[in-house]
Amino acid sequence: MKEYQIRPKGIFDKYLDLAKKDAEEIFSKAKYDKFNCPACEKKNKFLFKKINFSYCECEKCKTLYVSPRPKFKYFSKYYNESKSSKFWVTDFYKKTIKSRRSKIWKPKSKLVQKYLNENKGFKNIIDIGAGYGIFLDEIKKITNKQTYALEPSKDLSEICKKKHSIIQKFVEETKPADLPKGKNFYTCFELFEHLHSPKIFIKKLSKIMKKNEILFLTTLSSTGLDIDILKEKSKAVQPPYHINFFNPFSIRFFLEKNNFKIINISTPGKLDIDILENNKQYIENNFWKVFINKATFKEKKLMQKFLQKNLLSSHMIIVCIKK
């Protein structure tokens, strides 16, 4: 897989440009709160600034995150009113939906199916932040489970309800009575990096989940190669959308502290080397500069596999069970 297949350069750059302008406008007079590491709550070390957002790195667990953090109301306005948010829904996602379905959602649905087959008794699949419902579309084709979209957006809920049951709420306001009867398998894709408060989110989710229910989540890793090398030049580090970057060590600590037992953590990402190739003008590390410029296609492919196997890719999957 290549980056351009899921993020075509022209349309993605337009989205990033809109996001930058929106962030400068909406957060120009924002009020901020002090914010310690979202994983272990230790103090931080300033790392860099991007679009007037300060990114810090936890000295203990190496989580990357925005601190101080603008108050939630500014993020709410951003997601509900910004031009970039609308562009993502009306243009970017619609124009990449076909490639994302084949390159991202079909493989993920098969991986979720694997865990469903290995862990019997699940009746329902609840996708947190279901968006357009593409994952639910794909998983419905290969399982007999009931599918639910836990999606707060009215517009996206309208799209999902054509094929799936709807819980139109944020996790933070969801009650056990809102959830279907039977054993639930929860999925949560690319949401953790957006959360204003991962602590509030996971505590609420832990509270509404029943014992032995499974959470399958994906997010970005701060210790993944392209993010670690490119830092503020990384397009993944995009405030105010991406404000939390856990890693295999810190996400384990965070989830275990909140009544989850880890089943598996992996970094099966396929794009780290390709992303570095596409941004080689920003690479300062001499080893990676030489490698990207001189390595053969085969050597780069082997390196990507090395990153995957050793928890060093930026795309992270965590599967855990509620204790």
Side-chain angles (χ1 to χ4, degrees):
M1 181 165 65
K2 296 291 184 180
E3 186 183 17
Y4 74 85
Q5 293 175 307
I6 59 170
R7 294 191 287 263
K9 189 177 187 306
I11 193 170
F12 189 50
D13 284 349
K14 183 176 179 180
Y15 162 72
L16 293 177
D17 185 56
L18 286 172
K20 181 177 183 293
K21 291 175 182 176
D22 287 335
E24 290 170 341
E25 180 182 334
I26 292 173
F27 290 86
S28 61
K29 296 181 181 179
K31 293 183 179 180
Y32 291 75
D33 292 322
K34 290 182 179 180
F35 200 87
N36 287 342
C37 174
C40 67
E41 301 186 71
K42 299 297 182 184
K43 290 185 179 180
N44 50 64
K45 176 181 72 176
F46 173 79
L47 210 59
F48 56 79
K49 211 165 197 176
K50 189 167 185 178
I51 320 178
N52 296 321
F53 284 77
S54 295
Y55 280 84
C56 297
E57 182 181 68
C58 178
E59 294 182 334
K60 180 181 179 181
C61 71
K62 302 303 178 185
T63 297
L64 178 68
Y65 58 100
V66 167
S67 180
R69 188 160 292 192
K71 292 183 179 292
F72 177 74
K73 66 178 182 179
Y74 299 100
F75 287 92
S76 180
K77 183 178 181 181
Y78 190 90
Y79 281 108
N80 288 310
E81 299 178 20
S82 70
K83 292 178 182 177
S84 54
S85 291
K86 291 176 183 175
F87 181 80
W88 180 271
V89 173
T90 59
D91 291 73
F92 182 87
Y93 211 90
K94 283 186 177 179
K95 290 179 180 178
T96 60
I97 197 167
K98 187 176 180 180
S99 60
R100 284 174 170 264
R101 185 182 294 275
S102 65
K103 299 291 183 182
I104 297 175
W105 297 117
K106 285 188 177 182
K108 277 191 171 64
S109 64
K110 288 180 181 177
L111 187 54
V112 168
Q113 182 191 35
K114 171 180 172 288
Y115 282 99
L116 286 168
N117 291 340
E118 291 174 354
N119 299 271
K120 305 297 183 182
F122 287 96
K123 183 180 179 182
N124 313 299
I125 298 171
I126 301 176
D127 190 24
I128 301 168
Y132 282 93
I134 304 174
F135 162 72
L136 290 177
D137 293 346
E138 294 303 317
I139 196 68
K140 195 170 186 177
K141 294 175 184 176
I142 57 175
T143 70
N144 60 355
K145 314 302 179 187
Q146 297 297 310
T147 51
Y148 290 78
L150 205 168
E151 172 55 58
S153 164
K154 182 180 178 181
D155 291 340
L156 293 173
S157 291
E158 285 294 318
I159 294 170
C160 287
K161 79 176 185 180
K162 296 173 184 176
K163 298 181 182 178
H164 314 287
S165 299
I166 300 296
I167 305 167
Q168 193 184 323
K169 289 190 173 184
F170 288 98
V171 162
E172 292 85 344
E173 61 186 15
T174 303
K175 299 175 182 178
D178 298 320
L179 301 173
K181 293 180 180 180
K183 195 174 181 182
N184 301 319
F185 189 106
Y186 291 80
T187 55
C188 179
F189 299 107
E190 311 303 318
L191 182 62
F192 257 64
E193 56 267 38
H194 298 260
L195 295 172
H196 188 264
S197 176
K199 179 181 178 180
I200 292 174
F201 176 90
I202 203 66
K203 283 188 176 298
K204 180 64 180 189
L205 185 57
S206 176
K207 191 173 180 180
I208 63 174
M209 284 179 69
K210 298 187 285 289
K211 185 178 179 180
N212 293 329
E213 291 186 332
I214 286 178
L215 170 64
F216 181 109
L217 69 93
T218 68
T219 188
L220 294 167
S221 171
S222 62
T223 55
L225 179 67
D226 62 283
I227 291 173
D228 183 54
I229 293 296
L230 295 173
K231 293 185 169 61
E232 71 270 26
K233 299 296 185 182
S234 168
K235 291 179 180 179
V237 181
Q238 182 60 38
Y241 286 103
H242 292 172
I243 56 176
N244 310 295
F245 295 82
F246 288 78
N247 57 60
F249 169 78
S250 66
I251 197 74
R252 176 183 290 274
F253 175 82
F254 177 70
L255 289 168
E256 290 180 341
K257 184 173 65 172
N258 285 285
N259 299 314
F260 288 92
K261 179 183 177 182
I262 301 297
I263 297 175
N264 188 50
I265 296 177
S266 60
T267 62
K270 299 178 180 179
L271 295 176
D272 303 72
I273 298 299
D274 188 52
I275 289 171
L276 288 185
E277 284 194 270
N278 295 337
N279 296 274
K280 58 186 177 183
Q281 69 272 30
Y282 301 125
I283 300 174
E284 295 181 2
N285 181 285
N286 195 53
F287 172 87
W288 289 108
K289 192 181 292 184
V290 171
F291 180 84
I292 291 300
N293 283 308
K294 303 296 183 183
T296 64
F297 173 79
K298 183 179 179 180
E299 289 166 343
K300 289 174 182 177
K301 190 175 180 180
L302 288 171
M303 179 61 77
Q304 187 64 48
K305 287 184 177 180
F306 175 85
L307 299 174
Q308 292 172 334
K309 291 180 180 178
N310 292 280
L311 298 179
L312 293 171
S313 173
S314 293
H315 175 60
M316 182 165 59
I317 295 178
I318 307 96
V319 187
C320 54
I321 190 167
K322 170 68 189 305
K323 292 195 282 188

